[in-house]
Amino acid sequence: FSFSPSVINVKVGERIKLVLKNEGQAPHNLDISDFGETRVISPGEMATLSFTAPSSGDYNFFCSIPGHETAGMKGIIKAE
């Protein structure tokens, strides 16, 4: 129950495309409240999420499936 990497550095205004692969045994997703949410990703599946950081700062991301964030599925996108 983790994201790797858990800290992602991006540039403000640059179009970012995250490619996610679920290497676990349970379904997961990625929720970045400021940019959107992926669909549920089953074990072994992949999904993408694209966004642009509009301003500098830290943006939290997490798996919004109940209990997954508290189990450690969270991280930070640092935009500079």
Side-chain angles (χ1 to χ4, degrees):
F1 286 87
S2 64
F3 285 106
S4 179
S6 62
V7 177
I8 300 170
N9 295 298
V10 301
K11 293 183 180 181
V12 173
E14 182 178 44
R15 188 76 179 154
I16 306 300
K17 179 180 175 182
L18 296 179
V19 179
L20 310 164
K21 182 176 181 184
N22 182 348
E23 295 180 344
Q25 300 300 312
H28 297 293
N29 70 358
L30 178 75
D31 187 314
I32 309 171
S33 297
D34 295 305
F35 306 128
E37 181 179 336
T38 62
R39 63 178 172 77
V40 173
I41 308 165
S42 297
E45 287 190 345
M46 295 177 73
T48 60
L49 178 65
S50 297
F51 63 90
T52 302
S55 60
S56 62
D58 292 347
Y59 300 91
N60 295 315
F61 63 87
F62 59 96
C63 179
S64 64
I65 294 175
H68 290 199
E69 180 181 13
T70 57
M73 291 198 73
K74 58 187 173 183
I76 298 173
I77 294 171
K78 295 185 170 285
E80 297 180 356

